[in-house]
mmCIF file of all heavy atoms in Angstrom:
data_model
loop_
_atom_site.group_PDB
_atom_site.id
_atom_site.type_symbol
_atom_site.label_atom_id
_atom_site.label_comp_id
_atom_site.label_asym_id
_atom_site.label_seq_id
_atom_site.Cartn_x
_atom_site.Cartn_y
_atom_site.Cartn_z
ATOM 1 N N LEU A 1 0.772 -1.175 -0.047
ATOM 2 C CA LEU A 1 0.024 0.030 -0.037
ATOM 3 C C LEU A 1 0.791 1.211 -0.028
ATOM 4 O O LEU A 1 0.550 2.237 -0.658
ATOM 5 C CB LEU A 1 -1.049 -0.014 1.130
ATOM 6 C CG LEU A 1 -2.094 -0.924 1.208
ATOM 7 C CD1 LEU A 1 -2.942 -0.962 2.502
ATOM 8 C CD2 LEU A 1 -3.155 -0.639 -0.020
ATOM 9 N N ALA A 2 1.980 1.293 0.824
ATOM 10 C CA ALA A 2 2.787 2.472 0.766
ATOM 11 C C ALA A 2 3.430 2.645 -0.578
ATOM 12 O O ALA A 2 3.487 3.749 -1.078
ATOM 13 C CB ALA A 2 3.931 2.185 1.834
ATOM 14 N N ILE A 3 3.918 1.631 -1.260
ATOM 15 C CA ILE A 3 4.404 1.721 -2.569
ATOM 16 C C ILE A 3 3.422 2.282 -3.485
ATOM 17 O O ILE A 3 3.686 3.173 -4.341
ATOM 18 C CB ILE A 3 4.989 0.393 -3.066
ATOM 19 C CG1 ILE A 3 6.219 -0.016 -2.270
ATOM 20 C CG2 ILE A 3 5.469 0.464 -4.541
ATOM 21 C CD1 ILE A 3 6.661 -1.452 -2.491
ATOM 22 N N LEU A 4 2.233 1.783 -3.566
ATOM 23 C CA LEU A 4 1.160 2.228 -4.467
ATOM 24 C C LEU A 4 0.848 3.642 -4.152
ATOM 25 O O LEU A 4 0.677 4.429 -5.107
ATOM 26 C CB LEU A 4 -0.046 1.197 -4.279
ATOM 27 C CG LEU A 4 0.108 -0.212 -4.878
ATOM 28 C CD1 LEU A 4 -1.180 -0.997 -4.542
ATOM 29 C CD2 LEU A 4 0.435 -0.195 -6.292
ATOM 30 N N PHE A 5 0.654 3.992 -2.926
ATOM 31 C CA PHE A 5 0.308 5.401 -2.470
ATOM 32 C C PHE A 5 1.221 6.385 -3.057
ATOM 33 O O PHE A 5 0.756 7.334 -3.714
ATOM 34 C CB PHE A 5 0.111 5.523 -0.897
ATOM 35 C CG PHE A 5 -0.088 6.958 -0.564
ATOM 36 C CD1 PHE A 5 -1.205 7.618 -0.765
ATOM 37 C CD2 PHE A 5 1.017 7.542 0.190
ATOM 38 C CE1 PHE A 5 -1.413 8.888 -0.328
ATOM 39 C CE2 PHE A 5 0.862 8.834 0.553
ATOM 40 C CZ PHE A 5 -0.277 9.546 0.333
ATOM 41 N N VAL A 6 2.535 6.218 -2.774
ATOM 42 C CA VAL A 6 3.472 7.159 -3.162
ATOM 43 C C VAL A 6 3.519 7.239 -4.700
ATOM 44 O O VAL A 6 3.439 8.461 -5.289
ATOM 45 C CB VAL A 6 4.874 6.683 -2.600
ATOM 46 C CG1 VAL A 6 5.958 7.527 -3.465
ATOM 47 C CG2 VAL A 6 4.972 6.841 -1.163
ATOM 48 N N HIS A 7 3.422 6.191 -5.417
ATOM 49 C CA HIS A 7 3.517 6.306 -6.905
ATOM 50 C C HIS A 7 2.201 6.705 -7.576
ATOM 51 O O HIS A 7 2.258 7.313 -8.622
ATOM 52 C CB HIS A 7 4.085 4.918 -7.479
ATOM 53 C CG HIS A 7 5.550 4.697 -7.047
ATOM 54 N ND1 HIS A 7 5.929 4.096 -5.950
ATOM 55 C CD2 HIS A 7 6.628 5.120 -7.717
ATOM 56 C CE1 HIS A 7 7.161 4.031 -5.895
ATOM 57 N NE2 HIS A 7 7.784 4.714 -7.012
ATOM 58 N N LEU A 8 1.119 6.435 -6.877
ATOM 59 C CA LEU A 8 -0.142 6.917 -7.478
ATOM 60 C C LEU A 8 -0.302 8.400 -7.338
ATOM 61 O O LEU A 8 -0.833 9.104 -8.140
ATOM 62 C CB LEU A 8 -1.410 6.174 -6.808
ATOM 63 C CG LEU A 8 -1.490 4.656 -7.281
ATOM 64 C CD1 LEU A 8 -2.449 3.939 -6.532
ATOM 65 C CD2 LEU A 8 -1.571 4.537 -8.677
ATOM 66 N N VAL A 9 0.150 8.985 -6.100
ATOM 67 C CA VAL A 9 0.101 10.328 -5.930
ATOM 68 C C VAL A 9 0.955 10.989 -7.019
ATOM 69 O O VAL A 9 0.645 11.995 -7.606
ATOM 70 C CB VAL A 9 0.622 10.744 -4.554
ATOM 71 C CG1 VAL A 9 0.936 12.211 -4.446
ATOM 72 C CG2 VAL A 9 -0.449 10.373 -3.502
ATOM 73 N N LEU A 10 2.234 10.443 -7.271
ATOM 74 C CA LEU A 10 3.027 11.059 -8.277
ATOM 75 C C LEU A 10 2.511 10.935 -9.691
ATOM 76 O O LEU A 10 2.631 11.811 -10.494
ATOM 77 C CB LEU A 10 4.421 10.296 -8.162
ATOM 78 C CG LEU A 10 5.273 10.613 -6.897
ATOM 79 C CD1 LEU A 10 6.571 9.821 -6.931
ATOM 80 C CD2 LEU A 10 5.619 12.140 -6.833
ATOM 81 N N ALA A 11 1.768 9.779 -9.808
ATOM 82 C CA ALA A 11 1.255 9.685 -11.225
ATOM 83 C C ALA A 11 0.167 10.683 -11.474
ATOM 84 O O ALA A 11 -0.063 11.235 -12.564
ATOM 85 C CB ALA A 11 0.636 8.203 -11.425
ATOM 86 N N VAL A 12 -0.698 10.923 -10.373
ATOM 87 C CA VAL A 12 -1.711 12.093 -10.577
ATOM 88 C C VAL A 12 -0.957 13.396 -10.724
ATOM 89 O O VAL A 12 -1.460 14.208 -11.693
ATOM 90 C CB VAL A 12 -2.545 12.018 -9.299
ATOM 91 C CG1 VAL A 12 -3.441 13.353 -9.270
ATOM 92 C CG2 VAL A 12 -3.484 10.893 -9.200
ATOM 93 N N GLU A 13 0.054 13.700 -10.030
ATOM 94 C CA GLU A 13 0.710 14.984 -10.180
ATOM 95 C C GLU A 13 1.376 15.018 -11.646
ATOM 96 O O GLU A 13 1.418 16.116 -12.190
ATOM 97 C CB GLU A 13 1.867 15.039 -9.275
ATOM 98 C CG GLU A 13 1.383 15.217 -7.721
ATOM 99 C CD GLU A 13 0.992 16.502 -7.424
ATOM 100 O OE1 GLU A 13 1.109 17.441 -8.321
ATOM 101 O OE2 GLU A 13 0.613 16.745 -6.294
ATOM 102 N N GLY A 14 1.785 13.904 -12.178
ATOM 103 C CA GLY A 14 2.410 13.943 -13.460
ATOM 104 C C GLY A 14 1.483 13.980 -14.655
ATOM 105 O O GLY A 14 1.547 14.714 -15.584
ATOM 106 N N LEU A 15 0.497 12.946 -14.617
ATOM 107 C CA LEU A 15 -0.407 12.707 -15.743
ATOM 108 C C LEU A 15 -1.516 13.762 -15.762
ATOM 109 O O LEU A 15 -2.054 14.074 -16.808
ATOM 110 C CB LEU A 15 -0.948 11.333 -15.715
ATOM 111 C CG LEU A 15 0.050 10.210 -15.852
ATOM 112 C CD1 LEU A 15 -0.682 8.884 -15.634
ATOM 113 C CD2 LEU A 15 0.701 10.291 -17.215
ATOM 114 N N LEU A 16 -2.014 14.159 -14.565
ATOM 115 C CA LEU A 16 -3.113 15.124 -14.454
ATOM 116 C C LEU A 16 -2.602 16.375 -13.934
ATOM 117 O O LEU A 16 -3.266 17.029 -12.996
ATOM 118 C CB LEU A 16 -4.154 14.488 -13.550
ATOM 119 C CG LEU A 16 -4.673 13.190 -14.073
ATOM 120 C CD1 LEU A 16 -5.681 12.560 -13.102
ATOM 121 C CD2 LEU A 16 -5.363 13.292 -15.498
ATOM 122 N N TRP A 17 -1.437 16.893 -14.419
ATOM 123 C CA TRP A 17 -0.823 17.930 -13.785
ATOM 124 C C TRP A 17 -1.672 19.287 -13.653
ATOM 125 O O TRP A 17 -1.616 19.986 -12.639
ATOM 126 C CB TRP A 17 0.534 18.279 -14.465
ATOM 127 C CG TRP A 17 0.408 18.913 -15.867
ATOM 128 C CD1 TRP A 17 0.570 20.220 -16.021
ATOM 129 C CD2 TRP A 17 0.242 18.303 -17.122
ATOM 130 N NE1 TRP A 17 0.396 20.478 -17.413
ATOM 131 C CE2 TRP A 17 0.264 19.264 -18.103
ATOM 132 C CE3 TRP A 17 -0.050 16.868 -17.413
ATOM 133 C CZ2 TRP A 17 -0.055 18.941 -19.407
ATOM 134 C CZ3 TRP A 17 -0.126 16.664 -18.809
ATOM 135 C CH2 TRP A 17 -0.230 17.595 -19.802
ATOM 136 N N ARG A 18 -2.501 19.552 -14.616
ATOM 137 C CA ARG A 18 -3.178 20.783 -14.619
ATOM 138 C C ARG A 18 -4.293 20.679 -13.462
ATOM 139 O O ARG A 18 -4.528 21.680 -12.778
ATOM 140 C CB ARG A 18 -3.997 20.890 -15.992
ATOM 141 C CG ARG A 18 -3.047 21.290 -17.073
ATOM 142 C CD ARG A 18 -3.735 21.697 -18.336
ATOM 143 N NE ARG A 18 -2.856 21.714 -19.544
ATOM 144 C CZ ARG A 18 -1.991 22.873 -19.804
ATOM 145 N NH1 ARG A 18 -2.158 23.887 -18.954
ATOM 146 N NH2 ARG A 18 -1.324 22.927 -20.841
ATOM 147 N N ALA A 19 -5.027 19.564 -13.366
ATOM 148 C CA ALA A 19 -6.036 19.263 -12.369
ATOM 149 C C ALA A 19 -5.282 19.184 -10.925
ATOM 150 O O ALA A 19 -5.841 19.782 -10.038
ATOM 151 C CB ALA A 19 -6.714 18.082 -12.499
ATOM 152 N N ALA A 20 -4.234 18.696 -10.921
ATOM 153 C CA ALA A 20 -3.442 18.560 -9.541
ATOM 154 C C ALA A 20 -3.049 19.960 -9.170
ATOM 155 O O ALA A 20 -2.983 20.286 -7.920
ATOM 156 C CB ALA A 20 -2.185 17.637 -9.761
ATOM 157 N N ARG A 21 -2.592 20.757 -10.051
ATOM 158 C CA ARG A 21 -2.121 22.197 -9.667
ATOM 159 C C ARG A 21 -3.237 23.042 -8.946
ATOM 160 O O ARG A 21 -2.918 23.820 -8.208
ATOM 161 C CB ARG A 21 -1.556 22.812 -10.812
ATOM 162 C CG ARG A 21 -0.294 22.259 -11.288
ATOM 163 C CD ARG A 21 0.878 22.630 -10.359
ATOM 164 N NE ARG A 21 2.205 21.904 -10.737
ATOM 165 C CZ ARG A 21 2.986 22.518 -11.590
ATOM 166 N NH1 ARG A 21 2.800 23.724 -12.202
ATOM 167 N NH2 ARG A 21 4.160 21.856 -11.871
ATOM 168 N N VAL A 22 -4.538 22.840 -9.499
ATOM 169 C CA VAL A 22 -5.527 23.606 -8.910
ATOM 170 C C VAL A 22 -6.358 22.900 -7.725
ATOM 171 O O VAL A 22 -7.205 23.519 -7.110
ATOM 172 C CB VAL A 22 -6.616 23.924 -9.927
ATOM 173 C CG1 VAL A 22 -5.904 24.826 -11.074
ATOM 174 C CG2 VAL A 22 -7.272 22.780 -10.499
ATOM 175 N N SER A 23 -5.914 21.824 -7.370
ATOM 176 C CA SER A 23 -6.429 20.917 -6.358
ATOM 177 C C SER A 23 -5.675 21.092 -5.014
ATOM 178 O O SER A 23 -4.393 21.434 -5.199
ATOM 179 C CB SER A 23 -6.646 19.505 -6.645
ATOM 180 O OG SER A 23 -7.451 19.318 -7.875
ATOM 181 N N SER A 24 -6.154 20.823 -3.924
ATOM 182 C CA SER A 24 -5.283 20.842 -2.742
ATOM 183 C C SER A 24 -4.431 19.628 -2.542
ATOM 184 O O SER A 24 -4.895 18.521 -3.154
ATOM 185 C CB SER A 24 -6.251 20.987 -1.498
ATOM 186 O OG SER A 24 -6.877 19.842 -1.223
ATOM 187 N N ASP A 25 -3.357 19.683 -1.842
ATOM 188 C CA ASP A 25 -2.642 18.410 -1.754
ATOM 189 C C ASP A 25 -3.340 17.401 -0.968
ATOM 190 O O ASP A 25 -3.247 16.152 -1.287
ATOM 191 C CB ASP A 25 -1.358 18.744 -0.929
ATOM 192 C CG ASP A 25 -0.326 19.576 -1.655
ATOM 193 O OD1 ASP A 25 -0.435 19.640 -2.972
ATOM 194 O OD2 ASP A 25 0.489 20.331 -1.026
ATOM 195 N N VAL A 26 -4.172 17.730 -0.092
ATOM 196 C CA VAL A 26 -4.986 16.710 0.671
ATOM 197 C C VAL A 26 -5.823 15.889 -0.280
ATOM 198 O O VAL A 26 -5.931 14.688 -0.183
ATOM 199 C CB VAL A 26 -5.817 17.315 1.791
ATOM 200 C CG1 VAL A 26 -6.626 16.366 2.534
ATOM 201 C CG2 VAL A 26 -4.905 18.042 2.844
ATOM 202 N N LEU A 27 -6.490 16.583 -1.137
ATOM 203 C CA LEU A 27 -7.332 15.859 -2.197
ATOM 204 C C LEU A 27 -6.562 14.875 -3.091
ATOM 205 O O LEU A 27 -7.083 13.763 -3.342
ATOM 206 C CB LEU A 27 -8.083 16.846 -3.003
ATOM 207 C CG LEU A 27 -9.246 17.647 -2.410
ATOM 208 C CD1 LEU A 27 -9.809 18.620 -3.372
ATOM 209 C CD2 LEU A 27 -10.300 16.793 -1.800
ATOM 210 N N VAL A 28 -5.263 15.319 -3.489
ATOM 211 C CA VAL A 28 -4.506 14.419 -4.262
ATOM 212 C C VAL A 28 -4.081 13.186 -3.413
ATOM 213 O O VAL A 28 -4.125 12.104 -3.823
ATOM 214 C CB VAL A 28 -3.319 15.157 -4.692
ATOM 215 C CG1 VAL A 28 -2.477 14.256 -5.581
ATOM 216 C CG2 VAL A 28 -3.781 16.365 -5.717
ATOM 217 N N TRP A 29 -3.772 13.491 -2.096
ATOM 218 C CA TRP A 29 -3.368 12.383 -1.273
ATOM 219 C C TRP A 29 -4.529 11.376 -1.052
ATOM 220 O O TRP A 29 -4.250 10.190 -1.009
ATOM 221 C CB TRP A 29 -2.856 12.966 0.076
ATOM 222 C CG TRP A 29 -1.690 13.826 -0.154
ATOM 223 C CD1 TRP A 29 -0.779 13.920 -1.047
ATOM 224 C CD2 TRP A 29 -1.148 14.739 0.872
ATOM 225 N NE1 TRP A 29 0.244 14.764 -0.822
ATOM 226 C CE2 TRP A 29 -0.068 15.311 0.378
ATOM 227 C CE3 TRP A 29 -1.589 15.102 2.123
ATOM 228 C CZ2 TRP A 29 0.728 16.372 1.071
ATOM 229 C CZ3 TRP A 29 -0.994 16.247 2.764
ATOM 230 C CH2 TRP A 29 0.211 16.761 2.255
ATOM 231 N N LEU A 30 -5.754 11.873 -0.811
ATOM 232 C CA LEU A 30 -6.836 11.119 -0.640
ATOM 233 C C LEU A 30 -7.137 10.234 -1.865
ATOM 234 O O LEU A 30 -7.429 9.064 -1.767
ATOM 235 C CB LEU A 30 -8.095 11.969 -0.224
ATOM 236 C CG LEU A 30 -8.121 12.495 1.141
ATOM 237 C CD1 LEU A 30 -9.341 13.424 1.228
ATOM 238 C CD2 LEU A 30 -8.191 11.430 2.203
ATOM 239 N N LEU A 31 -7.062 10.864 -3.076
ATOM 240 C CA LEU A 31 -7.193 10.115 -4.229
ATOM 241 C C LEU A 31 -6.137 8.980 -4.371
ATOM 242 O O LEU A 31 -6.524 7.901 -4.740
ATOM 243 C CB LEU A 31 -7.131 11.035 -5.456
ATOM 244 C CG LEU A 31 -7.313 10.386 -6.890
ATOM 245 C CD1 LEU A 31 -8.517 9.692 -7.015
ATOM 246 C CD2 LEU A 31 -7.036 11.439 -7.971
ATOM 247 N N GLY A 32 -4.943 9.298 -3.980
ATOM 248 C CA GLY A 32 -3.834 8.291 -3.948
ATOM 249 C C GLY A 32 -4.039 7.137 -3.122
ATOM 250 O O GLY A 32 -3.907 5.950 -3.427
ATOM 251 N N ALA A 33 -4.534 7.504 -1.853
ATOM 252 C CA ALA A 33 -4.715 6.488 -0.866
ATOM 253 C C ALA A 33 -5.918 5.488 -1.155
ATOM 254 O O ALA A 33 -5.859 4.298 -1.082
ATOM 255 C CB ALA A 33 -4.942 7.095 0.436
ATOM 256 N N THR A 34 -7.005 6.189 -1.692
ATOM 257 C CA THR A 34 -8.244 5.460 -2.041
ATOM 258 C C THR A 34 -7.857 4.481 -3.240
ATOM 259 O O THR A 34 -8.245 3.310 -3.221
ATOM 260 C CB THR A 34 -9.348 6.374 -2.426
ATOM 261 O OG1 THR A 34 -9.583 7.247 -1.323
ATOM 262 C CG2 THR A 34 -10.496 5.611 -2.818
ATOM 263 N N SER A 35 -7.156 4.982 -4.262
ATOM 264 C CA SER A 35 -6.925 4.271 -5.385
ATOM 265 C C SER A 35 -5.913 3.136 -4.967
ATOM 266 O O SER A 35 -6.019 2.004 -5.571
ATOM 267 C CB SER A 35 -6.147 5.164 -6.460
ATOM 268 O OG SER A 35 -7.037 6.213 -6.877
ATOM 269 N N ALA A 36 -4.974 3.357 -4.100
ATOM 270 C CA ALA A 36 -4.016 2.371 -3.685
ATOM 271 C C ALA A 36 -4.754 1.240 -2.986
ATOM 272 O O ALA A 36 -4.479 0.041 -3.344
ATOM 273 C CB ALA A 36 -2.879 2.931 -2.875
ATOM 274 N N TRP A 37 -5.704 1.503 -2.092
ATOM 275 C CA TRP A 37 -6.430 0.451 -1.435
ATOM 276 C C TRP A 37 -7.250 -0.355 -2.348
ATOM 277 O O TRP A 37 -7.362 -1.555 -2.179
ATOM 278 C CB TRP A 37 -7.393 1.156 -0.328
ATOM 279 C CG TRP A 37 -8.032 0.287 0.414
ATOM 280 C CD1 TRP A 37 -9.348 -0.339 0.339
ATOM 281 C CD2 TRP A 37 -7.539 -0.201 1.749
ATOM 282 N NE1 TRP A 37 -9.602 -1.283 1.383
ATOM 283 C CE2 TRP A 37 -8.513 -1.081 2.279
ATOM 284 C CE3 TRP A 37 -6.493 0.078 2.489
ATOM 285 C CZ2 TRP A 37 -8.309 -1.791 3.445
ATOM 286 C CZ3 TRP A 37 -6.293 -0.666 3.644
ATOM 287 C CH2 TRP A 37 -7.233 -1.547 4.214
ATOM 288 N N ILE A 38 -7.956 0.343 -3.358
ATOM 289 C CA ILE A 38 -8.852 -0.387 -4.363
ATOM 290 C C ILE A 38 -7.991 -1.266 -5.166
ATOM 291 O O ILE A 38 -8.265 -2.481 -5.457
ATOM 292 C CB ILE A 38 -9.651 0.699 -5.180
ATOM 293 C CG1 ILE A 38 -10.707 1.292 -4.379
ATOM 294 C CG2 ILE A 38 -10.241 -0.135 -6.300
ATOM 295 C CD1 ILE A 38 -11.337 2.466 -4.999
ATOM 296 N N LEU A 39 -6.893 -0.665 -5.696
ATOM 297 C CA LEU A 39 -6.077 -1.529 -6.708
ATOM 298 C C LEU A 39 -5.312 -2.577 -5.990
ATOM 299 O O LEU A 39 -5.232 -3.749 -6.530
ATOM 300 C CB LEU A 39 -5.014 -0.682 -7.390
ATOM 301 C CG LEU A 39 -5.634 0.355 -8.376
ATOM 302 C CD1 LEU A 39 -4.520 1.334 -8.861
ATOM 303 C CD2 LEU A 39 -6.216 -0.338 -9.543
ATOM 304 N N ALA A 40 -4.899 -2.472 -4.796
ATOM 305 C CA ALA A 40 -4.432 -3.594 -3.992
ATOM 306 C C ALA A 40 -5.352 -4.719 -3.756
ATOM 307 O O ALA A 40 -5.016 -5.846 -3.839
ATOM 308 C CB ALA A 40 -3.859 -3.084 -2.649
ATOM 309 N N GLY A 41 -6.634 -4.297 -3.499
ATOM 310 C CA GLY A 41 -7.715 -5.342 -3.360
ATOM 311 C C GLY A 41 -7.975 -6.100 -4.599
ATOM 312 O O GLY A 41 -8.082 -7.245 -4.615
ATOM 313 N N VAL A 42 -7.844 -5.367 -5.817
ATOM 314 C CA VAL A 42 -8.042 -6.072 -7.101
ATOM 315 C C VAL A 42 -6.902 -7.059 -7.367
ATOM 316 O O VAL A 42 -7.146 -8.106 -7.786
ATOM 317 C CB VAL A 42 -8.095 -4.957 -8.208
ATOM 318 C CG1 VAL A 42 -8.049 -5.658 -9.513
ATOM 319 C CG2 VAL A 42 -9.398 -4.169 -8.027
ATOM 320 N N LEU A 43 -5.698 -6.603 -7.088
ATOM 321 C CA LEU A 43 -4.573 -7.462 -7.279
ATOM 322 C C LEU A 43 -4.597 -8.741 -6.448
ATOM 323 O O LEU A 43 -4.055 -9.722 -6.787
ATOM 324 C CB LEU A 43 -3.208 -6.608 -7.165
ATOM 325 C CG LEU A 43 -2.902 -5.606 -8.217
ATOM 326 C CD1 LEU A 43 -1.673 -4.706 -7.770
ATOM 327 C CD2 LEU A 43 -2.442 -6.374 -9.470
ATOM 328 N N ASP A 44 -5.115 -8.555 -5.261
ATOM 329 C CA ASP A 44 -5.142 -9.740 -4.413
ATOM 330 C C ASP A 44 -6.033 -10.812 -4.819
ATOM 331 O O ASP A 44 -5.859 -11.889 -4.359
ATOM 332 C CB ASP A 44 -5.523 -9.218 -2.910
ATOM 333 C CG ASP A 44 -4.460 -8.536 -2.234
ATOM 334 O OD1 ASP A 44 -3.319 -8.753 -2.496
ATOM 335 O OD2 ASP A 44 -4.742 -7.767 -1.196
ATOM 336 N N GLN A 45 -6.961 -10.475 -5.739
ATOM 337 C CA GLN A 45 -7.844 -11.500 -6.243
ATOM 338 C C GLN A 45 -7.126 -12.589 -7.012
ATOM 339 O O GLN A 45 -6.247 -12.224 -7.782
ATOM 340 C CB GLN A 45 -9.023 -10.986 -7.008
ATOM 341 C CG GLN A 45 -9.895 -10.050 -6.347
ATOM 342 C CD GLN A 45 -10.452 -10.606 -5.085
ATOM 343 O OE1 GLN A 45 -11.117 -11.652 -5.172
ATOM 344 N NE2 GLN A 45 -10.443 -9.904 -4.003
ATOM 345 N N PRO A 46 -7.383 -13.891 -6.940
ATOM 346 C CA PRO A 46 -6.697 -14.932 -7.553
ATOM 347 C C PRO A 46 -6.781 -14.675 -9.218
ATOM 348 O O PRO A 46 -7.689 -14.397 -9.788
ATOM 349 C CB PRO A 46 -7.579 -16.242 -7.265
ATOM 350 C CG PRO A 46 -8.250 -15.886 -6.030
ATOM 351 C CD PRO A 46 -8.474 -14.428 -6.069
ATOM 352 N N GLY A 47 -5.520 -14.838 -9.744
ATOM 353 C CA GLY A 47 -5.346 -14.602 -11.263
ATOM 354 C C GLY A 47 -5.261 -13.226 -11.564
ATOM 355 O O GLY A 47 -5.084 -12.937 -12.792
#
């Protein structure tokens, strides 16, 4: 989760730079944390 969170926050900052610049850091962190939790759950499923 820590690896996913850090890199998903950076991915948002890089790929969605215009939206990230006008958003608060907290919103970007929340998006990164939520996405990390969801994607880790998906990866954990068999196959």
